[in-house]
């Protein structure tokens, strides 16, 4: 009982360009009529400190296009993303990462719709976080965010093996 996602994704890179295509099926035993086929295609260009990407995805309920980009200036990286779906208002997000020694400070702001059946922006979210590299694959991380309804906070250790 639950949700099963099956799919395949193929990615090809040549120099600064990367292309990807994916297809799959979603099967949800808990929600009637939630079984669906989906497809996606994307391209990314990365050169030096700049990256831009565009993607398209579609299933029987919704289709949309997403564009993103990032640029690094010294210790700061600025990222932006915009998504336009046929059933939801245009959504966007902006974030800034600043690396200082073993610490990375991140701030973000976004307008997003949380319900695909609602055609307007339903949340504005913002947050601030910090991650401190302890070495050996361990990171101490903390953050606080306004999730559109409440102010939430998180603190803990992350491990990468």
């Amino acid at each position: 009982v639950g949700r099963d996602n099956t799919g395949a994704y193929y990615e090809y890179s040549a120099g600064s360009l990367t292309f990807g295509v994916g297809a799959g099926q979603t099967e949800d035993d808990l929600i009637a009529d939630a079984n669906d086929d989906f497809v996606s295609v994307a391209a990314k260009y990365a050169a030096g400190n700049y990256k831009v990407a565009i993607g398209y995805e579609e299933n029987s309920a919704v289709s949309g296009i997403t564009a993103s980009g990032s640029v690094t200036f010294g210790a700061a990286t600025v990222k932006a993303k915009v998504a336009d779906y046929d059933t939801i208002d245009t959504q966007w997000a902006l974030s800034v990462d600043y690396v200082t020694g073993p610490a990375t400070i991140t701030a973000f702001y976004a307008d997003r719709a949380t319900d695909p059946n609602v055609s307007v922006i339903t949340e504005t979210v913002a947050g601030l976080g910090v991650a401190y590299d302890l070495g050996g694959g361990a990171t101490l991380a903390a953050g606080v965010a306004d999730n559109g309804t409440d102010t939430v906070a998180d603190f803990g250790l992350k491990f990468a093996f």
Side-chain angles (χ1 to χ4, degrees):
V1 175
R3 184 178 189 141
D4 293 319
N5 293 320
T6 58
Y9 180 76
Y10 176 76
E11 189 173 275
Y12 175 77
S13 294
S16 298
L17 291 171
T18 301
F19 300 95
V21 62
Q25 298 174 324
T26 300
E27 183 177 318
D28 197 325
D29 296 334
L30 302 176
I31 302 172
D33 299 326
N35 302 329
D36 204 359
D37 295 336
F38 59 88
V39 295
S40 63
V41 62
K44 177 177 79 171
Y45 178 77
N49 296 338
Y50 301 90
K51 295 178 187 170
V52 292
I54 191 163
Y56 175 80
E57 59 186 326
E58 177 180 303
N59 64 31
S60 64
V62 65
S63 64
I65 191 165
T66 302
S68 64
S70 69
V71 61
T72 300
F73 300 101
T77 300
V78 178
K79 300 175 188 173
K81 181 177 181 179
V82 63
D84 188 30
Y85 292 92
D86 52 10
T87 60
I88 302 173
D89 278 353
T90 301
Q91 304 176 76
W92 62 272
L94 180 66
S95 71
V96 177
D97 294 335
Y98 184 79
V99 178
T100 175
T104 301
I105 301 164
T106 302
F108 71 91
Y109 183 88
D111 276 343
R112 66 185 183 136
T114 57
D115 183 346
N117 298 314
V118 176
S119 64
V120 296
I121 298 300
T122 57
E123 284 186 348
T124 299
V125 297
L128 181 65
V130 63
Y132 188 87
D133 185 355
L134 299 172
T139 302
L140 182 65
V144 63
D146 176 351
N147 67 12
T149 305
D150 297 311
T151 299
V152 295
D154 191 16
F155 178 81
L157 289 171
K158 296 189 300 185
F159 298 97
F161 300 101

